[in-house]
């Protein structure tokens, strides 16, 4: 099984995505994997084959403004939650995916959680890895500086922002081969830095996250697995432990050695957890 790289034109936008088709497919809903800041779908390439082994079709797009999808001026794309949610819906519609299971990770991927909450009829299951879904959340300094006037304009133009953030958040060295792919958008256009700055400035507020947490515990009743790298210094696990307490549709799986990007360095553990979750019978 090989991961393919494809581009899809959706309205005025071009989405890049990675996909893997299983040798023996099942009738399970396709899995869509959404990345966070300042990453791209490359971060899921260790997990994707493990899901395909179980007969699952897996699709991992680069968000607009990131990776190899269109990197747009904010006059053409607002980089707000509402803009991303609409664009995601149009992407899924263009792929003719009326029903999916969704996996999200990281800052920005909260958009995927909101999409699920607002389109429950389209979502079979939801998995959340180290993603802001409940306060308190303090934007980590490596990301907060991207929003500072003048400072952010300079910092977000540096391709090494990828090394510092992805390695700083994961706590492990990433190979030069992978870092070269992550850096490519920054080496091609200054718009990559401006898109990162715009998306970061529009991340959900504490009030937004409080509403998301309440909805996950209350109106949302679809099977949901929260997989947490508990060594994450940016998003501690304690609020998540409180979130799942007493909620039968929410479960928490802890990865003690993983930090903010668990799929990057612990794909086997993440993949096996997702295999079990997606193959479990819904009661």
């Amino acid at each position: 099984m090989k991961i393919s790289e494809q581009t899809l034109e959706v309205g005025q936008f071009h989405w890049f995505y990675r996909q893997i088709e299983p040798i023996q497919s099942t009738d399970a809903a396709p899995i869509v994997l959404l990345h966070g800041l300042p990453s791209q779908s490359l971060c899921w390439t260790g997990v994707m084959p493990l899901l395909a082994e179980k007969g699952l079709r897996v699709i991992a797009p680069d968000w607009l403004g990131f990776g190899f999808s269109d990197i747009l001026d904010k006059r053409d794309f607002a980089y707000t939650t509402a803009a991303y949610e609409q664009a995601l819906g149009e992407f899924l519609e263009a792929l003719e995916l009326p029903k999916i299971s969704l996996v999200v990770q990281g800052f920005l991927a909260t958009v995927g959680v909101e999409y699920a909450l607002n389109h429950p009829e389209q979502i079979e299951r939801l998995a959340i890895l180290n993603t802001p879904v409940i306060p308190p959340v303090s934007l980590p300094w490596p990301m907060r500086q991207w929003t500072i006037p003048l400072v952010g304009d300079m910092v977000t133009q540096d391709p090494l922002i990828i090394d510092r953030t992805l390695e700083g958040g994961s706590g492990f060295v990433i190979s030069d081969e992978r870092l070269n792919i992550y850096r490519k958008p920054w080496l091609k256009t200054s718009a990559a830095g401006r898109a990162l700055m715009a998306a970061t400035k529009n991340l959900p507020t504490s009030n937004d996250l409080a509403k998301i947490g309440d909805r996950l515990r209350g109106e949302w009743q679809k099977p949901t697995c929260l997989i947490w790298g508990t060594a994450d210094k940016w998003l501690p696990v304690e609020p998540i432990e409180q979130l799942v307490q007493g909620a039968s549709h929410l479960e928490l799986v802890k990865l003690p050695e993983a930090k903010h990007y668990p799929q990057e360095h612990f794909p086997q553990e993440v993949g096996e957890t997702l295999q079990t979750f997606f193959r479990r019978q819904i009661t």
Side-chain angles (χ1 to χ4, degrees), residues 8-27:
L8 179 67
E9 184 176 356
V10 184
Q12 60 181 315
F13 305 134
H14 292 84
W15 288 75
F16 173 90
Y17 65 99
R18 292 176 165 89
Q19 178 173 252
I20 187 167
E21 297 274 2
I23 295 175
Q24 293 184 327
S25 61
T26 67
D27 58 359

Side-chain angles (χ1 to χ4, degrees), residues 12 52 75 80 86 134-135 148 159 271 280:
Q12 60 181 315
R75 291 172 297 183
T80 60
Q86 179 178 340
I134 188 172
I148 301 172
R280 187 182 304 150

